[in-house]
């Protein structure tokens, strides 16, 4: 197996400290207008030059995609991925941007999603009964598929379901501003991760009690609480995971689900979308002195799910930074 090499100048920055490779909004505005006014197949054709542009100008993305793929290949004894390809992962990311924009514009059709024998019927029944859920996701695939089950449609949920995302606002500000410029009517329920405190937890709890879904990704450590982490093996190497996400689940005591939205093929002009839903088995109705242990159990359970789907869809993980950087 080829030895994994790292470069100090590229691999020692926390993800929040890395500079954007492309500092202009022009490519994103262009792409969003194409998606809004042109047929979907044409949008995917545009992905080719957009991804090539990003690939050429982001050395960081190229190096870190290769680094991650080599770790995955070593972990799977050379089976996954079949071929190390930075461009394939960058192209997949560009396709995901198109799919995310489709999601924000309300263009995902639940009927066309490929379902699996998992806990999707369980969460749909729960939502239909007016009960909300806490969703732990990732930067693997496209979480905008959540929006396909958030309104009156053939999913069986007979009411609108409010979807709120908790995220680092600095890292998404450019995307949000462009989206609102092109379509001011787009409704985005966002909570800045840096603002999380007792009052925010109460707000999130109310949203879930009102039957909404609250989503947060757990595969990036917090930009403001970088040392508050849980360290566990991920793909065979120690990695940090954000303690706050799993602590939040313990405070909310709401039904917790892992949801992954994945494209069937990395490179295709006619993508099909898979949705995977798995309910957590960790119960926080426990004595206070057991809570920390169960927070840790939830993190380990999440890691097992993330590893499972990363192996299934190796080019669809969009963490273009050194995930195994241990900052304490």
């Amino acid at each position: 197996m080829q030895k994994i090499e790292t470069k100090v100048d590229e691999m020692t920055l926390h993800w929040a400290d890395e500079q954007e490779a492309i500092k202009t909004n022009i490519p994103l505005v262009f792409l969003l207008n194409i998606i809004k006014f042109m047929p979907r197949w044409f949008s995917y054709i545009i992905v080719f030059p957009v991804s090539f542009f990003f690939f050429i100008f982001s050395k960081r993305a190229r190096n870190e995609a290769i680094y991650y793929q080599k770790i995955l290949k070593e972990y799977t004894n050379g089976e996954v991925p079949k071929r190390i390809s930075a461009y394939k992962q960058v192209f997949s990311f560009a396709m995901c941007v198109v799919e995310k924009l489709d999601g924000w514009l309300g263009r995902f059709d639940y009927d066309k999603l490929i379902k699996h024998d998992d806990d999707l019927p369980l969460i749909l029944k729960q939502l239909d009964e007016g009960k909300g859920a806490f969703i732990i996701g990732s930067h693997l695939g496209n979480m905008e598929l959540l929006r396909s089950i958030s309104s009156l449609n053939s999913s069986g949920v007979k009411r609108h379901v409010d979807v709120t995302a908790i995220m680092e606002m600095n890292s998404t500000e450019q995307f949000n501003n462009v989206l609102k410029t092109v379509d001011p009517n787009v409704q985005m329920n966002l909570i800045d991760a840096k603002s999380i405190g007792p009052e925010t937890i109460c707000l999130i709890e109310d949203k879930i009690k009102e039957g909404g879904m609250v989503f947060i990704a757990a595969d990036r450590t917090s930009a403001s609480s970088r040392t508050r982490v849980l360290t566990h093996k991920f793909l065979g190497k120690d990695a940090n995971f954000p303690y706050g996400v799993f602590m939040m689940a313990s405070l909310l005591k709401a039904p917790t689900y892992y949801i992954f939205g994945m494209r069937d093929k990395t490179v295709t002009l006619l993508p099909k979308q898979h949705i995977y839903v798995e309910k957590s088995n960790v119960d926080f109705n426990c004595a206070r002195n057991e809570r920390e242990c169960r927070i840790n159990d939830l993190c380990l359970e999440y890691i097992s799910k993330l590893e499972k789907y990363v192996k299934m869809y190796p080019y669809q993980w969009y963490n273009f930074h050194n995930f195994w950087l241990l900052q304490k």
Side-chain angles (χ1 to χ4, degrees):
M1 185 65 59
Q2 186 175 0
K3 184 178 179 181
I4 298 168
E5 298 179 355
T6 62
K7 295 183 179 181
V8 174
D9 60 332
E10 297 175 345
M11 310 299 286
T12 58
L13 286 177
H14 187 272
W15 69 266
D17 295 331
E18 295 178 340
Q19 299 297 314
E20 293 295 330
I22 301 171
K23 301 182 185 300
T24 175
N25 285 341
I26 294 175
L28 191 55
V29 172
F30 173 72
L31 182 59
L32 188 51
N33 277 288
I34 289 292
I35 292 169
K36 187 175 181 181
F37 298 110
M38 299 296 288
R40 182 172 292 183
W41 61 265
F42 188 79
S43 302
Y44 288 116
I45 289 178
I46 296 298
V47 166
F48 285 92
V50 170
S51 61
F52 184 73
F53 180 79
F54 182 71
F55 180 77
I56 292 297
F57 286 93
S58 181
K59 180 181 178 182
R60 183 193 77 216
R62 297 194 304 271
N63 289 340
E64 290 170 351
I66 291 173
Y67 182 62
Y68 145 72
Q69 289 179 35
K70 286 182 177 179
I71 287 175
L72 177 58
K73 198 169 185 70
E74 185 174 294
Y75 179 71
T76 60
N77 296 316
E79 294 182 6
V80 179
K82 292 183 179 178
R83 182 170 64 90
I84 301 292
S85 172
Y87 180 68
K88 201 167 183 179
Q89 191 168 339
V90 168
F91 179 87
S92 179
F93 173 67
M95 285 200 71
C96 186
V97 171
V98 172
E99 292 161 349
K100 282 181 178 292
L101 295 174
D102 263 342
W104 282 113
L105 294 172
R107 295 185 178 182
F108 275 129
D109 186 344
Y110 177 84
D111 283 337
K112 294 182 180 178
L113 295 182
I114 299 173
K115 291 86 171 177
H116 299 270
D117 185 17
D118 54 23
D119 292 322
L120 177 60
L122 184 61
I123 194 172
L124 292 178
K125 181 176 183 295
Q126 181 177 313
L127 293 172
D128 192 45
E129 293 172 350
K131 302 172 185 176
F134 185 57
I135 311 298
I136 302 181
S138 67
H139 292 83
L140 177 69
N142 179 16
M143 279 305 299
E144 299 310 319
L145 293 186
L146 272 177
R147 300 183 182 281
S148 67
I149 62 174
S150 67
S151 58
L152 293 169
N153 54 33
S154 56
S155 69
V157 180
K158 303 179 186 67
R159 65 182 183 89
H160 173 77
V161 178
D162 187 60
V163 179
T164 301
I166 303 171
M167 58 181 65
E168 302 281 352
M169 297 298 286
N170 287 346
S171 66
T172 58
E173 186 174 3
Q174 184 184 68
F175 176 82
N176 297 337
N177 290 340
V178 170
L179 196 57
K180 288 182 178 179
T181 299
V182 175
D183 189 347
N185 297 318
V186 170
Q187 294 183 354
M188 297 182 293
N189 300 315
L190 303 176
I191 295 176
D192 192 345
K194 294 193 295 296
S195 70
I196 297 294
E199 292 183 0
T200 322
I201 292 294
C202 290
L203 172 64
I204 294 168
E205 190 174 22
D206 287 343
K207 286 183 175 293
I208 292 175
K209 285 180 179 178
E210 291 167 2
M213 291 187 289
V214 176
F215 162 77
I216 189 168
D219 59 346
R220 282 187 185 176
T221 55
S222 170
S224 55
S225 301
R226 302 183 185 188
T227 59
R228 203 175 185 198
V229 298
L230 296 169
T231 304
H232 291 292
K233 296 286 185 185
F234 174 64
L235 300 181
K237 291 173 64 70
D238 284 341
N240 287 338
F241 290 83
Y243 173 82
V245 172
F246 306 103
M247 182 193 68
M248 194 183 304
S250 75
L251 296 175
L252 295 171
K253 296 181 180 178
T256 299
Y257 290 84
Y258 309 107
I259 297 183
F260 297 88
M262 313 304 302
R263 189 185 323 110
D264 63 335
K265 296 179 181 179
T266 304
V267 180
T268 176
L269 292 179
L270 297 171
K272 296 179 181 178
Q273 306 290 339
H274 294 252
I275 186 166
Y276 299 91
V277 180
E278 298 192 40
K279 190 175 188 295
S280 172
N281 291 316
V282 179
D283 184 1
F284 286 104
N285 292 309
C286 60
R288 188 178 183 85
N289 60 2
E290 294 180 29
R291 193 177 70 178
E292 288 301 319
C293 181
R294 298 199 184 187
I295 288 174
N296 195 64
D297 288 343
L298 185 66
C299 181
L300 288 170
E301 185 181 61
Y302 170 77
I303 292 170
S304 70
K305 306 300 181 187
L306 189 59
E307 287 181 333
K308 171 183 174 180
Y309 292 106
V310 162
K311 287 187 287 186
M312 290 171 63
Y313 301 95
Y315 299 112
Q316 294 186 47
W317 197 44
Y318 308 125
N319 264 326
F320 291 102
H321 68 276
N322 181 4
F323 190 78
W324 294 269
L325 176 65
L326 302 178
Q327 292 187 337
K328 291 189 176 183

